[in-house]
């Protein structure tokens, strides 16, 4: 659960105020709603490192892809699909 | 080197390993802090690639492993209250409390839900105004901003049926506690990359100076770990004790300021009991006064008696770097992932589970999975 997984911002979905900036982030095709509060500089198309639903850093695209492939190969991206998260 | 071809950048892995063998002249003991690093070291077979003179010991950086029995009891108690939905990261469910685990509470009817993010718990609270929703907020500095954000989020939207049971732990005070133990033999630390993505590196300079010990901020992939080990051993061989950053692609010296501000807004530093290690002063976060309405301990008047830890589990010695998992008499016999005696056998980030899955043949002890 300490893992941070890189994904690509596909859309900004909500911007009620500062705290509520949210975006749709793709993790190799798995889409999640991610909070973007901690990365005010991040734009659509950027890659962000995401930990438990919150983006903590903007990362380089090539590095992000390599890291994601590594995590996927190691079977470490399953936490994106926690059983009770799917039908909130 | 059976795994070598499977690595990302196998040439680099090869190069770092060769260099390590070349420069290592003395025996050194290195501790990696983060459970994710432990997992990666063991799972990728990296320990077998290192020179014999280098010993890796596995630190306390697994939140599942260090959450005290009493706090598990608090979570179980909360889950068993009528009208409460207790939400948690999945890893916490199987950790034994003094009487039962959250999974056992769930099996007899408690509403315990496994979530990916604390922000989802706020959403559950919004949709279920007649219920009390509690998020079991464990983790190191990496997870603190998300948990803090969930509280800010709930407060801003007036979602008063949301609270958290905070059991946050901090890396630098734990490093100091480990180094202050006279029995410790640690020569260098690999600091946890994602913790530093949030907190930056400034906290580590005084530790490196005071204990004259190299600290290398390191990532968790095989190439990162080997490079981090190489940087630390280079320093040791030269008699240096610097703070270095192997993981510059994710860590800036000042960390993520917004995340730090979020933590400060919601949490206050407090003393915390670490499972296996004991109380460490100023080593955790609790919800601060301003957000007390979202502190489950206050809201539910939790008053759980202090619970003793299982004496058969030597996890404290393992997380302090004094012993390795296979030195525990219960490893793989009385203690297995299916029936863990201690927390490090539960989580995949726990050292015992990592060795059990990737560095152990059950026949060694005459038992079978
Ligand atoms: S093997 Fe089990 S009992 Fe022994 S230290 Fe690890 S978790 Fe504790």
């Amino acid at each position: 659960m300490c893992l941070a997984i890189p994904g690509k911002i596909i859309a900004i979905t909500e911007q009620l105020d500062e705290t509520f900036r949210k975006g749709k982030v793709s993790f190799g095709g798995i889409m999640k709603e991610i909070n973007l509060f901690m990365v005010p500089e991040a734009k659509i198309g950027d890659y962000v490192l995401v930990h438990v639903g919150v983006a903590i850093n903007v990362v380089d695209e090539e590095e992000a892809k390599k890291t994601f492939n590594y995590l996927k190969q190691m079977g470490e991206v399953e936490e994106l699909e926690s059983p009770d998260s799917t039908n909130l | 080197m059976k795994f070598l071809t499977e690595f990302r950048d196998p040439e680099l892995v090869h190069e770092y390993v060769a260099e390590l063998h070349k420069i290592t002249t003395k025996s050194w003991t290195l501790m990696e802090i983060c459970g994710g690093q432990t997992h990666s070291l063991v799972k990728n077979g990296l320990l077998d690639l290192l020179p014999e003179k280098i010993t890796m010991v596995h630190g306390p950086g697994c939140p599942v492993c260090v959450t005290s029995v009493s706090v598990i009891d608090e979570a179980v108690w909360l889950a068993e209250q009528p009208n409460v939905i207790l939400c948690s990261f999945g890893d916490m469910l199987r950790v034994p409390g003094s009487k039962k685990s959250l999974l056992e509470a769930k099996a007899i009817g408690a509403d315990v839900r496994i979530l990916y993010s604390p922000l989802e718990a706020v959403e559950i609270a919004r949709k279920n105004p007649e219920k009390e929703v509690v998020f079991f907020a464990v983790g190191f500095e990496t997870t603190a901003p998300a948990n803090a954000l969930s509280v800010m989020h709930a407060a801003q939207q007036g979602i008063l049926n949301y609270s958290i049971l905070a059991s946050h732990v901090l890396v630098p005070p734990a490093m100091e506690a480990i180094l202050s133990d006279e029995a410790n033999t640690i020569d260098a630390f690999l600091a946890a990359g994602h913790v530093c993505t949030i907190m930056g590196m400034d906290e580590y300079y005084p530790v490196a100076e005071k204990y004259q010990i190299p600290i290398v901020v390191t990532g968790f992939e095989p190439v990162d770990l080997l490079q981090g080990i190489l940087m630390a051993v280079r320093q040791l061989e030269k008699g240096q004790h610097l703070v270095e950053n192997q993981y510059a692609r994710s860590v800036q010296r000042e960390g993520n300021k917004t995340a730090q501000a979020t933590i400060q807004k919601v949490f206050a530093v407090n003393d915390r009991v670490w499972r296996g290690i004991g109380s460490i002063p100023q080593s955790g976060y609790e919800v601060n006064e301003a957000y007390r309405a979202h502190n489950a301990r206050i809201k539910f008047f939790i008053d759980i008696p202090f619970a003793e830890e299982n004496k058969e589990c030597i996890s404290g010695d393992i997380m302090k770097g004094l012993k390795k998992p296979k030195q525990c008499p219960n490893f793989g016999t009385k203690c297995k992932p299916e029936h863990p005696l201690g927390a490090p056998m539960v989580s995949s980030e726990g050292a015992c589970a990592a060795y059990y899955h990737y560095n152990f043949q059950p026949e060694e002890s005459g038992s079978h999975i």
Side-chain angles (χ1 to χ4, degrees), chain B residues 237-296:
Chain B
E237 292 283 345
K238 285 194 222 150
Q240 295 173 320
H241 49 87
L242 309 171
V243 178
E244 288 185 296
N245 186 5
Q246 180 278 328
Y247 201 39
R249 67 180 191 272
S250 172
V251 175
Q252 271 109 43
R253 181 169 168 171
E254 69 280 6
N256 182 327
K257 292 278 184 201
T258 314
Q260 291 164 25
T262 307
I263 293 173
Q264 275 161 16
K265 199 163 173 196
V266 174
F267 291 126
V269 175
N270 71 343
D271 298 346
R272 172 128 346 259
V273 174
W274 295 54
R275 189 174 189 133
I277 297 179
S279 181
I280 304 177
Q282 303 289 290
S283 69
Y285 289 135
E286 177 58 280
V287 178
N288 69 17
E289 273 303 301
Y291 288 93
R292 57 181 287 137
H294 298 280
N295 182 343

Side-chain angles (χ1 to χ4, degrees), chain B residues 107-295:
Chain B
I108 53 173
D111 192 347
V112 177
R113 301 191 193 175
I114 299 173
L115 300 183
Y116 160 64
S117 166
L119 297 166
E120 296 170 338
V122 180
E123 211 33 42
I124 294 178
R126 196 175 63 77
K127 289 189 184 150
N128 297 275
E130 74 296 348
K131 296 272 191 184
E132 281 293 333
V133 176
V134 182
F135 189 75
F136 189 10
V138 299
F140 279 85
E141 291 94 327
T142 322
T143 317
N147 287 337
L149 200 57
S150 78
V151 169
M152 269 168 66
H153 199 128
Q156 270 168 359
Q157 294 184 87
I159 301 176
L160 291 172
N161 60 328
Y162 176 72
S163 59
I164 65 172
L165 177 68
S167 181
H168 268 289
V169 279
L170 306 175
V171 168
M175 284 166 90
E176 291 219 48
I178 288 168
L179 291 170
S180 307
D181 187 325
E182 278 171 14
N184 102 82
T185 57
I186 298 159
D187 298 305
F189 275 112
L190 304 185
H194 293 150
V195 166
C196 297
T197 301
I198 302 290
M199 302 303 284
M201 294 160 64
D202 284 345
E203 301 175 290
Y204 296 94
Y205 293 90
V207 180
E209 198 48 45
K210 181 170 169 191
Y211 298 92
Q212 309 267 299
I213 191 165
I215 301 176
V216 181
V217 175
T218 305
F220 59 92
E221 294 181 50
V223 271
D224 294 324
L225 285 159
L226 287 169
Q227 191 182 19
I229 293 168
L230 180 61
M231 287 164 80
V233 172
R234 264 197 199 122
Q235 285 198 48
L236 289 168
E237 292 283 345
K238 285 194 222 150
Q240 295 173 320
H241 49 87
L242 309 171
V243 178
E244 288 185 296
N245 186 5
Q246 180 278 328
Y247 201 39
R249 67 180 191 272
S250 172
V251 175
Q252 271 109 43
R253 181 169 168 171
E254 69 280 6
N256 182 327
K257 292 278 184 201
T258 314
Q260 291 164 25
T262 307
I263 293 173
Q264 275 161 16
K265 199 163 173 196
V266 174
F267 291 126
V269 175
N270 71 343
D271 298 346
R272 172 128 346 259
V273 174
W274 295 54
R275 189 174 189 133
I277 297 179
S279 181
I280 304 177
Q282 303 289 290
S283 69
Y285 289 135
E286 177 58 280
V287 178
N288 69 17
E289 273 303 301
Y291 288 93
R292 57 181 287 137
H294 298 280
N295 182 343

Side-chain angles (χ1 to χ4, degrees), chain B residues 312-315 318 325 328-332 335 340-345 352:
Chain B
E312 289 182 279
C313 173
I314 62 155
S315 70
I318 292 173
C328 172
N330 300 308
F331 178 88
C335 183
L341 276 185
M345 192 55 100
C352 300

